[in-house]
Every structure is written in structure tokens, then in C-alpha cells.
Amino acid sequence: RRWVTRPIERLARAVRSARTGKVGVIAPQGPPEIADLARDVDAMRLQMNRALYDAVRARETIEQSATVVLQLRSELGTGVEDLPDGWTVAAQLQPAEGVVAGDCYDVIQLPPSGLGLVVVDISGHGAVSGILALRCKELLRAGLRDGFDPDEAVLWAAEQLDDLGDETFLTAFVAVVDLPTGDVTYASAGHPPALLCSPSHAVELETTGPIVGPFVGPWQSASAGLDPGDTLAVYTDGLTEVRNAAGKEFGVQRLTDIVCGAAPDDAESIVKRCVDD
């Protein structure tokens, strides 16, 4: 009883007490074998306490960052201000993973009668790529507001983004639309060709320079024109490269057919039709 039964009973009481949080340490008492067992049980208690502490900290971190992540998601895709009669603009973001996309867009009015358009696609997914996308969007937006041509805005943003590293890159489509005339001045930094669609045909607005990150340019501006009834569709490869159950890509041609077929509709309807399809 003194060497086996009583030491085990003390150990059992200490374990039950520790389980309820009343005792902080399970003391090694009794003969060597039982004392060793008590040390092992106490080590397990410490490990479980550390795991519990880490879980609590992780939960607190998630709670604190959730608001930031949701705010980041809302900032990647912004609303569009009221436009003159005859013009409609719409867009939609759907992240490939989680709740934050590595893509972003912005549409801003430029004095006296211009419309600035920015679409950015960052390599990778998640919050880190989303923060970089937001940073790039704000640089391009500021460049357009300062009166830069699209190619100058891309060059200026690239100079500010000199800390991307060797494995991070981005594509961008930047344009300024003159609302009274429909003239479009744009620069495409390695971005999938935007589509200028009418009910009868479509024109691809090809890239005017390399991707941003591993290259330093040059980028150039090009021109196009929007006639009444035309649609300018800018997208990322997340749309055209999505696959169905059979492994077939959505593809540019399918997107072109949808946009051209829906050209008389407003922008909101066209975006919804593309995403639904």
C-alpha cells in the first residue's frame, strides 16, 4: 500500500485536479517507476497547455484578421460612379481560393470627360497577393489621376514595385476612355487580350509590353474606338482557363461569342451571363 497503492492514488488525484485546472504541477512522488510516470504525465499536461494556448492565440488572430481580410476583399473590387447616359460598367471578382482574390479592378472618372480603367492580375492567391494587387491598383489609379498616359502609368507603377522578388509578377490592363467620342487609349502589360466586341465582330486588344516584375518594359500605349452598341470586355485568365468536369477550358472564343451575342445589353447583364456560363 505504501509503495504502490498510495502513490498511484496520489497521482490519480493530482491528474484529476489538473484536469479541472486546480493544480498546476503533477509532482513526481513515490518509488522511481511511479515518479517517472508522474513526470511523463506532467510533461503531457504542459504540452496540452501549450497546444491550448496556441489554439486560443490562433483563434484570436483569425478574429482580428477577419475584418481586415473582408475589407481587403471589398477594396479589390470597387463600385462604379454614375456615368453619362448610354454608358454602363460592371465587373465581378470570384477568388479561386478562400475569400481574397489575387486580381483587382478599378474604374474612375477622370476630368474633364474621361473614364479610367485598371485591371490587375497578381501571380498567386490569398491575402498576400491581394495586398500586392491593392497596392498596384492604387499606384495605377494615382498615375491616371495625375494625367499619365496608360503606358506611363504602368512604367511608374513598375518603378515603385521594385521589391516584388524573383517569383512574383503581375499583368495589367490600363485604359482611358474618352466618353464623348468613345476613343480608347490603353496599355496592356502581358495581360490577356481585351475584347472590343460589336454584334457582328470582335477585335482583340493585344499586349503592348511585357509582364511587370521580371521585366522593366518598355510599355507602349495603343488606341481603339468604341462605337454605340460596342462592348469592351477585360478579363483575367481565371475566367478563360477555368475547366469543366471533362477538362475542357472555357476559352477566349466562348467568351467572345457570349459578349458579342449580348452586345446590345447593359454591362451588368453581360457580366452575369459570362460568370453564369
Side-chain angles (χ1 to χ4, degrees), residues 84 86-87 113-115 175-186 196 205 222-232:
W87 290 90
S113 58
L115 190 70
V176 175
V177 182
D178 185 73
L179 295 177
T181 64
D183 292 338
V184 181
T185 304
Y186 69 92
L196 203 164
L205 305 185
S223 299
L226 280 167
D227 295 324
D230 287 352
T231 299
L232 176 62

Side-chain angles (χ1 to χ4, degrees), residues 239-262:
L239 175 63
T240 55
E241 293 181 3
V242 67
R243 298 175 182 270
N244 61 14
K248 182 179 179 181
E249 285 190 351
F250 186 83
V252 176
Q253 186 58 52
R254 188 168 180 175
L255 174 62
T256 303
D257 293 341
I258 293 174
V259 177
C260 287

Side-chain angles (χ1 to χ4, degrees), residues 83-199:
L83 300 177
D85 291 341
W87 290 90
T88 61
V89 177
Q92 185 169 337
L93 281 178
Q94 288 191 359
E97 299 175 3
V99 297
V100 178
D103 306 342
C104 67
Y105 67 88
D106 204 355
V107 180
I108 57 174
Q109 292 199 12
L110 302 172
S113 58
L115 190 70
L117 169 65
V118 172
V119 178
V120 176
D121 184 2
I122 305 290
S123 59
H125 307 286
V128 174
S129 296
I131 291 171
L132 178 57
L134 181 60
R135 179 183 171 196
C136 182
K137 183 188 81 168
E138 292 302 323
L139 288 171
L140 292 170
R141 174 190 175 108
L144 293 180
R145 287 196 180 280
D146 284 345
F148 290 177
D149 288 335
D151 60 328
E152 295 172 332
V154 173
L155 176 59
W156 183 73
E159 291 174 345
Q160 311 308 310
L161 297 169
D162 58 356
D163 55 350
L164 292 181
D166 297 332
E167 299 182 359
T168 303
F169 61 90
L170 62 93
T171 68
F173 183 88
V174 184
V176 175
V177 182
D178 185 73
L179 295 177
T181 64
D183 292 338
V184 181
T185 304
Y186 69 92
S188 176
H191 201 76
L195 300 174
L196 203 164
C197 297
S198 71

Side-chain angles (χ1 to χ4, degrees), residues 1-10 29-31 34:
R1 286 197 297 269
R2 186 175 64 183
W3 288 96
V4 178
T5 306
R6 291 175 183 173
I8 290 179
E9 289 176 349
R10 286 196 298 268
Q29 298 178 354
I34 296 180

